[in-house]
Amino acid sequence: MRATHWVVRVLTAVPLLAASGGPARADDADLDRRLALVLSDAEFTGRIAEQLEDRLGRKLDRGVADLGRLLFFDRLLGVKLDNACAGCHSPAHGFGDTQSIAIGIDNNNKVGPGRTGPRNQRRTPMVLNTAFFPKLMWNSRFSADSGDPFDNSAGFTFPAPEGRTLSRQPHLLTAQAFIPPTERNEMAGFEFEGTNDDLRAEVVRRLNDTPNYRRLFRQAFGLDPEDPITYDHLAAALAEFQFSLTFADAPVDRFARGRRAAMTREEKQGALLFFGKAGCVSCHAVAGGANEMFSDFTPHVLGVPQVAPARTNSVFDGPGGDEDFGLEQVTGRAADRYKFRTSPLRNVGVQPTFFHNGAFTRLEDAIAHHLDVRRSALNYTPVGRLPRDLAGPTGPIRPVLARLDPLVRDPIRLTEAEFRQLVAFVRTGLLDERARPENLIRLIPDRLPSRLAPLDFEVDD
Ligand code: HEC
Ligand code: HEC
C-alpha cells in the first residue's frame, strides 16, 4: 500500500514541477512527501482529538464541564481557603505553572511571576490533553493499568493510602481529581486534623452548605433537591472540564490529515529532524498507547539540574535534602533514582519554564540540553534564570549524570539552521491555537459560586 502511495505522489509532483519551473516548488513537494511518509511510518494520524467522545462512550457534557471550570478556580476546594487548582494550573500557561516550582498554600493570592510563598517540590504540568495520558504526574505515580486512561477494567493504581480504591471511577482523570484537595502543601494546609477521606468530606460539606453550588450541581447532574453533592460529582465535574481542554489540533495534525500548507517549511524540516536524526521520537513517542501525545509515558534519567528551593514545605531527597529522586519515591528501587516521565510535548510553546523543576526558562535551552546533556548540566547555573529563592546552590549533578539514559549519552550535532527548525517544530508545529493565553484567560470566571474572592491573575497581554 505504502509503495503505491509513494508512486502516486511522485507522479503528481512532476506536473507541478513542470508548471512552476522552480526548484523551490520541487523541493517543497519533496519535503511534503518525505514528511508524510515519516508521519505515517510513525503511525501518526493527526486525528487523536476526534477520538475523545468515542472513547468516553458518550458526548462531552458542556454543562458539567462548565461547573468543573468554576470549581477549578474556586478556593473553596482548598480547606485552608487560600489556593485553587488554578492557583498552580494557570490559564495563562495552558493550565500549567507560572513558576519553576509550584507554590501551594500560604501564597500571596497572585498567579504569575509575582507569586510568592513556600515551594512545593515540582513544576505544575499543563492539564491540556491529559484526557489521553495513561500515566499522570512527573513520576507516573497515578496509572491506568490497562494502559488506557479511558479503561478502568484493570484498575487505577495510586500510591497509599488510595492504592487501588479509585478504580471504580470511569476515567483516570476522574480518579486523579480525588487527590489535590487532600495534598497538605498544595491546597489543604497542615492545620486540619484527619485523613484524606476526612478532607474530602470537609470539601463536600462546604459545597453542600453553599446554595449556589447546590443549585449548579442539581442542574448539571439532574439531582433532586434533597440529593446531596458527593465527591464523585465533584470529581466528575473537574474531569469533564479537563476533557474539554483537549487541544490537539496543531499544524502537525492538520498536515497529517492532508493539509500540506498547515506547517511552515521550517516546521516541516524540524519535524523530519524530530522523527529522524535528532532521535526525539524514541522517547517523545506518538504510536499506540502514546495516543499521539509525544511521550512514551515512561520515566528516563535526562540529567536535569537539581534545583533546590531556599524555602519549602515539601520533603526533598538525598543527604543534603536538595535532590529529587523521581520514580524511586514510588517504587523504592534505587535503579529508578532521578527518573522522570517523558514530557508530553503538545502546546509546550506556551510554557514559561521547562522540566520537572523548571530548571530552564527558554525552550531553546531545554532542547539544547538534550543534544549535549553533560555540557548543559555541568555548565548550568540557576542564577539569572530563576527567581532568587530558587537560585541558591543546586543539588549534586554527578550522581544524576552517572545514571543518564543511554539514548541521550552521546551528543547529537545539529547545524544552527537545523536547531532553529527543530525548535520551530516543537514551539509552533505542536501548538493548537486554542491553547494560547489570549484564548484561555477568557475562561477565568468573574465571580465564584462560593463568593470567595477570585485569584489575582497577573495577565497583562
Ligand atoms: C500547589 C499547586 C497545585 C494545585 C493547587 C493543584 N495542582 Fe495539579 N499538579 C501540581 C503539580 C506540581 C503536579 C505534578 C506533581 C508531581 O508530578 O509530583 C500536578 C499534576 C496534576 C495533574 C497531572 C498532569 C500530568 O501531566 O500528569 C493533573 C491532571 C492535575 N494536577 C489536576 C489538578 C486539579 C484538578 C487540581 C484541583 C483540584 C489541582 N491539580 C491542583 C500542582 C498543583
Ligand atoms: C531519553 C529519552 C528522551 C529523548 C531521546 C528526548 N527526550 Fe525530551 N524529555 C525526556 C524526559 C524524560 C523529559 C522530562 C525530564 C524532566 O523533567 O526531568 C523531557 C523533556 C523535554 C522537554 C521539556 C518539556 C516540559 O514540559 O518541560 C522538551 C521541550 C523536550 N523534552 C524536547 C525534546 C526534543 C526536541 C528531543 C530530541 C532532540 C528530545 N526531547 C529527546 C526524554 C527524552
Side-chain angles (χ1 to χ4, degrees):
M1 277 313 280
R2 194 162 284 145
T4 327
H5 198 63
W6 189 81
V7 171
V8 171
R9 290 209 176 284
V10 173
L11 290 178
T12 53
V14 173
L16 247 181
L17 180 61
S20 71
R25 287 289 287 275
D27 281 1
D28 285 348
D30 180 60
L31 182 60
D32 287 353
R33 181 181 54 74
R34 281 190 294 149
L35 181 55
L37 263 181
V38 161
L39 292 177
S40 81
D41 276 347
E43 295 173 36
F44 185 85
T45 65
R47 296 183 185 279
I48 193 70
E50 294 169 15
Q51 296 181 12
L52 179 70
E53 294 186 335
D54 271 358
R55 289 171 73 173
L56 278 174
R58 60 177 175 80
K59 290 243 170 273
L60 200 69
D61 189 321
R62 295 281 160 193
V64 174
D66 200 53
L67 170 57
R69 176 178 68 94
L70 298 173
L71 293 160
F72 198 88
F73 283 86
D74 203 328
R75 290 185 282 123
L76 193 72
L77 270 55
V79 163
K80 198 178 161 79
L81 293 178
D82 77 345
N83 202 15
C85 309
C88 301
H89 295 277
S90 166
H93 297 289
F95 289 101
D97 220 327
T98 59
Q99 295 282 322
S100 283
I101 295 184
I103 295 170
I105 56 161
D106 300 322
N107 63 80
N108 58 352
N109 202 45
K110 287 199 190 317
V111 185
R115 187 171 176 86
T116 56
R119 301 275 173 183
N120 296 174
Q121 195 173 21
R122 297 182 182 131
R123 178 172 71 78
T124 313
M126 299 186 287
V127 300
L128 306 183
N129 297 314
T130 44
F132 289 96
F133 293 8
K135 290 184 180 152
L136 297 171
M137 316 314 264
W138 286 106
N139 53 13
S140 302
R141 64 187 181 275
F142 307 159
S143 66
D145 299 317
S146 62
D148 175 359
F150 296 86
D151 175 5
N152 65 1
S153 62
F156 298 141
T157 299
F158 283 65
E162 282 74 20
R164 294 174 54 82
T165 57
L166 299 170
S167 299
R168 71 190 154 79
Q169 293 301 325
H171 188 283
L172 184 59
L173 273 185
T174 329
Q176 191 276 337
F178 279 70
I179 306 299
T182 70
E183 297 285 3
R184 298 285 179 168
N185 56 358
E186 290 190 358
M187 294 183 86
F190 294 94
E191 297 83 359
F192 181 91
E193 286 178 28
T195 63
N196 284 2
D197 280 333
D198 297 333
L199 278 161
R200 286 188 275 256
E202 177 60 16
V203 172
V204 166
R205 188 186 66 73
R206 293 181 185 188
L207 289 171
N208 277 306
D209 282 352
T210 310
N212 281 335
Y213 274 124
R214 282 301 281 258
R215 182 174 46 78
L216 290 166
F217 275 87
R218 217 161 47 223
Q219 285 164 359
F221 290 97
L223 304 179
D224 288 330
E226 65 278 9
D227 287 345
I229 301 164
T230 64
Y231 204 95
D232 283 40
H233 294 128
L234 168 59
L238 287 169
E240 202 75 3
F241 173 55
Q242 296 173 89
F243 296 153
S244 77
L245 300 176
T246 297
F247 296 148
D249 189 20
V252 69
D253 299 289
R254 297 186 187 173
F255 179 94
R257 298 198 305 267
R259 289 258 323 272
R260 299 300 185 239
M263 293 172 85
T264 64
R265 189 152 218 285
E266 201 171 39
E267 289 165 356
K268 291 174 188 170
Q269 287 163 325
L272 285 177
L273 292 164
F274 187 95
F275 286 92
K277 88 169 178 192
C280 312
V281 77
S282 47
C283 296
H284 295 280
V286 293
N291 288 326
E292 307 195 3
M293 289 293 132
F294 297 87
S295 173
D296 54 6
F297 293 99
T298 303
H300 300 270
V301 180
L302 195 70
V304 172
Q306 305 211 70
V307 174
R311 192 156 71 99
T312 179
N313 51 18
S314 300
V315 182
F316 278 68
D317 300 312
D322 51 5
E323 301 195 63
D324 186 339
F325 285 176
L327 183 63
E328 182 184 348
Q329 289 180 346
V330 185
T331 63
R333 298 191 337 197
D336 290 332
R337 187 164 301 178
Y338 309 128
K339 285 187 180 170
F340 294 90
R341 181 188 74 182
T342 304
S343 304
L345 293 183
R346 285 183 179 276
N347 303 310
V348 81
V350 302
Q351 283 183 191
T353 67
F354 304 92
F355 297 136
H356 64 272
N357 53 18
F360 293 98
T361 53
R362 295 174 48 209
L363 181 61
E364 284 84 350
D365 295 342
I367 293 179
H369 173 82
H370 288 73
L371 299 176
D372 192 344
V373 174
R374 293 187 154 276
R375 201 174 63 170
S376 161
L378 293 171
N379 291 327
Y380 179 81
T381 170
V383 178
R385 255 194 252 260
L386 304 191
R388 195 165 326 141
D389 68 316
L390 296 177
T394 49
I397 191 64
R398 290 186 188 276
V400 185
L401 292 175
R403 291 164 189 260
L404 199 58
D405 192 290
L407 284 169
V408 285
R409 249 175 232 164
D410 299 322
I412 295 174
R413 307 267 171 241
L414 297 182
T415 65
E416 268 178 45
E418 286 173 330
F419 181 70
R420 272 200 311 275
Q421 294 160 358
L422 185 60
V423 171
F425 172 64
V426 175
R427 175 173 284 139
T428 50
L430 297 179
L431 179 65
D432 183 320
E433 289 295 317
R434 291 170 296 178
R436 288 190 186 276
E438 55 270 33
N439 295 324
L440 294 185
I441 58 177
R442 293 199 215 125
L443 297 174
I444 302 174
D446 299 330
R447 278 177 303 135
L448 295 165
S450 66
R451 304 223 166 106
L452 289 169
L455 302 166
D456 179 7
F457 291 96
E458 300 181 291
V459 284
D460 42 23
D461 43 319

